[in-house]
Amino acid sequence: MRYVEVQRFYDHPEWWMTSRKCIHLPEEAQKKVKRKQLERYVHPIPAQLESVLSYFHDNPKPPSLQAWNQNLERWSEKSGLNSLGISAKSTRKSIESWMISAGVPLHVVCLRQGHDSLTSMQHYQGLPFTEDEQGEIRRRLAGWV
């Protein structure tokens, strides 16, 4: 989900469809001007995430986009990582790139992310993962596909 969608999801726990193990993002969740889908479903939700959703809704709301970006930059620098390019979009870009690398069908990735295949190809495909990294990605995404 886009960071702003995560913030709106916090205010709408009813978007979590427990019986279907998915999150329904209605039109008001995605106010992106150039969006390709009026609504979308994020599914399947892996057990790891499902177990923290109640914790998510029972704790303070995620910070503003600006505060989150500042936190990410500060944390990356403290951990010795180059903070260049790290932002709220980094996790979303990573998971899309990982899903493609792990062999999740492109149409499934695009539906989850709310992209068309051209957007996915231009921005998320083709990252040069080594075979070891691809194995690690597949291991980490077990349960997500």
Side-chain angles (χ1 to χ4, degrees), residues 53-64:
L53 282 176
S54 61
Y55 175 83
F56 172 75
H57 289 290
D58 291 340
N59 282 280
K61 186 174 184 166
S64 70

Side-chain angles (χ1 to χ4, degrees), residues 20-129:
R20 295 182 183 262
K21 296 185 186 289
C22 71
I23 297 170
H24 174 242
L25 296 174
E27 189 171 353
E28 65 266 21
Q30 319 169 58
K31 296 184 179 177
K32 185 176 177 191
V33 177
K34 294 182 179 180
R35 70 178 176 258
K36 304 294 182 191
Q37 302 167 327
L38 291 181
E39 65 177 349
R40 80 174 192 279
Y41 294 87
V42 180
H43 65 86
I45 301 298
Q48 308 92 298
L49 182 60
E50 191 176 349
S51 65
V52 298
L53 282 176
S54 61
Y55 175 83
F56 172 75
H57 289 290
D58 291 340
N59 282 280
K61 186 174 184 166
S64 70
L65 180 62
Q66 180 181 5
W68 184 245
N69 282 332
Q70 290 169 348
N71 287 340
L72 290 170
E73 185 174 341
R74 186 177 68 254
W75 296 332
S76 64
E77 288 171 359
K78 280 186 172 187
S79 67
L81 296 172
N82 181 348
S83 65
L84 182 66
I86 293 181
S87 71
K89 293 182 177 186
S90 298
T91 50
R92 185 172 157 78
K93 180 172 182 166
S94 295
I95 196 65
E96 183 159 347
S97 300
W98 282 21
M99 285 190 291
I100 290 167
S101 179
V104 176
L106 182 59
H107 72 281
V108 172
V109 174
C110 289
L111 285 171
R112 284 183 184 171
Q113 298 294 97
H115 291 153
D116 58 27
S117 58
L118 180 59
T119 300
S120 181
M121 186 171 25
Q122 289 175 333
H123 300 285
Y124 305 100
Q125 297 180 40
L127 294 180
F129 296 118

Side-chain angles (χ1 to χ4, degrees), residues 123-138:
H123 300 285
Y124 305 100
Q125 297 180 40
L127 294 180
F129 296 118
T130 66
E131 286 197 33
D132 288 343
E133 289 169 333
Q134 287 182 345
E136 179 67 13
I137 289 168
R138 283 188 209 92

